[in-house]
Amino acid sequence: MLAAIHDTFGEPAEVITPRDTDQPKPGEGEALVRMVLSPIHNHDLWTVRGNYGYKPELPGAIGGSEAVGIVEAVGDGVDEALVGKRVAAAGVHGTWAEYFTGPGGGLLPLPDEISDEAGAQLIAMPFSALSLLETLKVGEGDWLIQTAANGAVGKIMAGLAKSRGIHLLNLVRRDEAANELREAGIDNVLSTADENWKDQARELIGETGAVSAIDSVGGDTAGDLVDLLGRDGELVVFGTATGQPLTMSSAGLIMKHITVKGFWGSRVSSEMDPDTRNRLIFELVGLAAKGELPLDVGGTFALDDSVEAMKAALEPGRGGKIMLRP
């Protein structure tokens, strides 16, 4: 089968190569899935670079961690009724290939209302966003702030917050990005490139301040978020677009009793109670079926054009998720 493979860690566009490799066979408890579409997530790129929490064995590592596909075969202990079904798979390895295997019990059969483009990215980012929202102190009628609102998770969070009645302040770093979100119908968007953005934010949020804030940028932005949080507020670090250390005022942390913590979706998902996980997945499927989750696609590339796909995924300001197809 054809797959996008890397033999060393490094920049994805430099180390990923499309080539033939052996088709996997489903083991006990596993299913063999024929890939239809597989997204290129940021954490997939970090994995290829070798600086993510999971490191694949080299050489011959196949990239990718999420896909939509058709179940072709099942191993012992897996219901044969899965064969032929269109399913979403996430938290697996090696989806940038014509075939991949995954736990049979972890595959999600998809209703016809959900397209391949949505199903391919239904779980990883949306589930991380919903899991994060589930852990926050913010509730209906409260204010939540997020940075990198123009990213995939940011757009998804906008839909999730709206469905739960949470007021959301969306921050981006470029005026162009702010305009794009407004044109997409997203409210309360501010660009931190505007020198008066914090005054505008305070006018929106009010004197009480926000209950929770999510930072995916790093650097001085963390200090700005602390300023906008209310008493006993929380700052959750979800990512680091700049790679810069967080810079915050000790006075703000102390006087307002601010809590700062990290969030890693993979760990949260692995430790989550099964009933909670099923409830959140059911919520996501319902929102996706109604078209209320912004799961945009920025381009689709064949596996044999995976190098160009890596370059497209790294392009700043792209409009949606880059997909690979067989």
Side-chain angles (χ1 to χ4, degrees):
M1 68 173 186
L2 185 63
I5 298 172
H6 62 108
D7 295 321
T8 61
F9 293 123
E11 280 304 308
E14 298 174 3
V15 300
I16 285 287
T17 58
R19 67 173 190 260
D20 287 334
T21 188
D22 293 337
Q23 179 179 311
K25 296 180 180 179
E28 184 175 354
E30 292 184 331
L32 176 68
V33 181
R34 173 171 52 84
M35 188 266 279
V36 173
L37 284 175
S38 181
I40 302 175
H41 293 305
N42 284 338
H43 64 257
D44 295 324
L45 300 175
W46 296 336
T47 299
V48 174
R49 294 187 185 106
N51 53 15
Y52 193 58
Y54 162 76
K55 288 191 176 184
E57 292 185 9
L58 300 176
I62 302 173
S65 58
E66 184 174 22
V68 64
I70 308 298
V71 177
E72 293 286 308
V74 295
D76 292 340
V78 180
D79 188 352
E80 292 188 0
L82 268 180
V83 176
K85 289 191 179 296
R86 187 175 66 114
V87 297
V92 294
H93 305 301
T95 59
W96 296 347
E98 292 179 309
Y99 295 89
F100 65 91
T101 58
L107 301 177
L108 177 66
L110 295 173
D112 294 339
E113 294 83 357
I114 297 179
S115 67
D116 288 340
E117 290 77 9
Q121 52 182 318
L122 176 62
I123 302 177
M125 294 296 101
F127 189 77
S128 290
L130 186 53
S131 299
L132 172 57
L133 189 58
E134 185 82 359
T135 65
L136 295 177
K137 294 167 59 176
V138 69
E140 185 176 359
D142 293 332
W143 276 95
L144 167 66
I145 309 171
Q146 69 165 346
T147 60
N150 56 322
V153 171
K155 293 176 181 177
I156 292 165
M157 185 64 74
L160 296 176
K162 184 177 181 179
S163 72
R164 293 192 171 196
I166 295 169
H167 301 302
L168 180 63
L169 174 57
N170 297 286
L171 301 179
V172 295
R173 292 181 289 167
R174 297 179 294 110
D175 292 338
E176 297 85 355
N179 291 331
E180 289 171 5
L181 290 183
R182 295 185 188 110
E183 291 172 0
I186 295 178
D187 299 324
N188 305 320
V189 181
L190 295 177
S191 169
T192 57
D194 186 333
E195 62 180 14
N196 297 318
W197 76 268
K198 286 178 72 173
D199 292 334
Q200 297 174 54
R202 289 190 178 95
E203 289 180 10
L204 281 171
I205 296 171
E207 295 182 2
T208 305
V211 172
S212 306
I214 306 165
D215 183 38
S216 299
V217 174
D220 295 338
T221 303
D224 294 328
L225 295 177
V226 170
D227 290 343
L228 294 171
L229 285 169
R231 292 181 61 184
D232 300 315
E234 63 179 352
L235 171 60
V236 180
V237 181
F238 186 78
T240 173
T242 64
Q244 298 174 357
L246 303 183
T247 305
M248 294 170 282
S249 165
S250 298
L253 294 173
I254 294 169
M255 301 306 293
K256 291 196 286 188
H257 281 208
I258 301 298
T259 300
V260 181
K261 60 182 179 180
F263 181 94
W264 186 23
S266 294
R267 175 179 170 181
V268 172
S269 177
S270 66
E271 297 176 355
M272 184 175 289
D273 174 75
D275 290 339
T276 300
R277 179 181 178 84
N278 290 337
R279 173 174 60 80
L280 297 183
I281 289 290
F282 183 79
E283 182 176 347
L284 284 178
V285 170
L287 291 170
K290 292 185 288 185
E292 296 180 5
L293 279 182
L295 300 172
D296 301 326
V297 174
T300 302
F301 295 77
L303 281 172
D304 57 11
D305 202 17
S306 54
V307 174
E308 291 303 313
M310 299 301 126
K311 294 177 182 177
L314 291 165
E315 189 70 28
R318 57 181 167 78
K321 191 69 64 175
I322 300 299
M323 296 280 179
L324 286 169
R325 61 172 176 79

